[in-house]
């Protein structure tokens, strides 16, 4: 089995780190940079998981109802590959400007299929601000958690079998640093 760490770690000279340090609630802001899992109302019951994956290529558009209505997602990580990290790299203005927002009805349809995680190579599944948080909370209400800012590439899509996910549940932030390892039975 091939293993690849696809987490984005932010060093103290990165602009996102500098931004987080300037925030009035810098502890909370620090949890929301780099690869992290959002936990506003509750957390996953374990700190480590290995899940099979289902991948949707979202490079042309975010998924439609028709694309998700027949999916079997129970116990899986749904990966939404937007190409944002690969195209724009993490934390610059183009990264934040790319729309990776799910339609509300599509999110409801995904949640009916009981994925454990929604993993995205972008800043989230809702628009910046209140919608972002409300979408994450809707996921949490359905025992699904959103992992943001993961370093995925187009090449990985054909080889990725499962993910190892671990996070620091003791963090005081609503964004918990997360490590995501891609597992593949084939070489990239």
């Amino acid at each position: 089995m091939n293993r690849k760490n696809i987490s984005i770690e932010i060093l103290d000279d990165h602009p996102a780190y500098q931004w987080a340090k300037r925030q009035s609630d810098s502890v909370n802001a620090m949890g929301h940079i780099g690869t992290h899992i959002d936990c506003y109302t509750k957390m996953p019951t374990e700190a480590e998981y290995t899940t099979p994956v289902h991948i949707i290529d979202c490079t042309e558009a975010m998924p439609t109802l028709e694309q998700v209505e027949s999916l079997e997602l129970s116990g899986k990580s749904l990966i939404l590959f937007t190409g944002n990290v690969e195209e724009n790299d993490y934390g610059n203005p183009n990264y934040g400007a790319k729309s990776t927002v799910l339609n509300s009805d599509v999110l409801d349809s995904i949640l009916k299929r009981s994925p454990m995680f929604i993993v995205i190579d972008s800043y989230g599944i809702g628009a910046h601000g209140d919608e972002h948080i409300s979408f994450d909370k809707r996921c949490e209400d359905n025992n699904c958690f959103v992992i943001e800012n993961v370093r995925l590439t187009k090449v990985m899509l054909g080889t990725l079998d499962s993910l190892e996910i671990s996070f620091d549940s003791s963090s005081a932030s609503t964004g918990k640093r997360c490590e995501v390892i891609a597992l593949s039975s084939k070489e990239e």
Side-chain angles (χ1 to χ4, degrees), residues 55-74:
I55 302 167
I56 299 177
D57 186 339
C58 305
T59 52
E60 297 299 319
M62 293 305 282
T64 63
L65 272 175
E66 294 74 31
Q67 287 176 288
V68 300
E69 284 180 326
S70 63
L71 297 180
E72 295 292 329
L73 299 175
S74 183

Side-chain angles (χ1 to χ4, degrees), residues 1-64:
M1 187 68 62
N2 297 302
R3 298 169 49 87
K4 182 174 185 174
N5 188 333
I6 57 174
S7 306
I8 296 173
E9 294 190 39
I10 304 301
L11 301 176
D12 59 6
D13 61 343
H14 192 280
Y17 183 93
Q18 297 301 319
W19 168 85
K21 289 295 279 184
R22 289 191 306 269
Q23 302 308 301
S24 59
D25 184 358
S26 63
V27 170
N28 200 39
M30 286 298 222
H32 287 274
I33 61 173
T35 301
H36 66 277
I37 183 170
D38 282 335
C39 302
Y40 291 100
T41 59
K42 63 179 163 179
M43 290 187 293
T45 56
E46 306 295 325
E48 296 182 8
Y49 292 86
T50 301
T51 66
V53 298
H54 183 89
I55 302 167
I56 299 177
D57 186 339
C58 305
T59 52
E60 297 299 319
M62 293 305 282
T64 63

Side-chain angles (χ1 to χ4, degrees), residues 110-149:
I110 288 169
L111 294 174
K112 285 180 188 172
R113 282 143 188 77
S114 304
M116 291 181 75
F117 299 98
I118 297 173
V119 180
I120 188 164
D121 62 335
S122 194
Y123 55 82
I125 59 171
H128 296 291
D130 291 340
E131 183 181 82
H132 178 108
I133 294 170
S134 73
F135 275 26
D136 287 348
K137 287 179 177 180
R138 279 169 55 193
C139 290
E140 293 167 17
D141 287 344
N142 288 274
N143 297 310
C144 175
F145 298 86
V146 179
I147 299 174
E148 302 168 5
N149 308 317

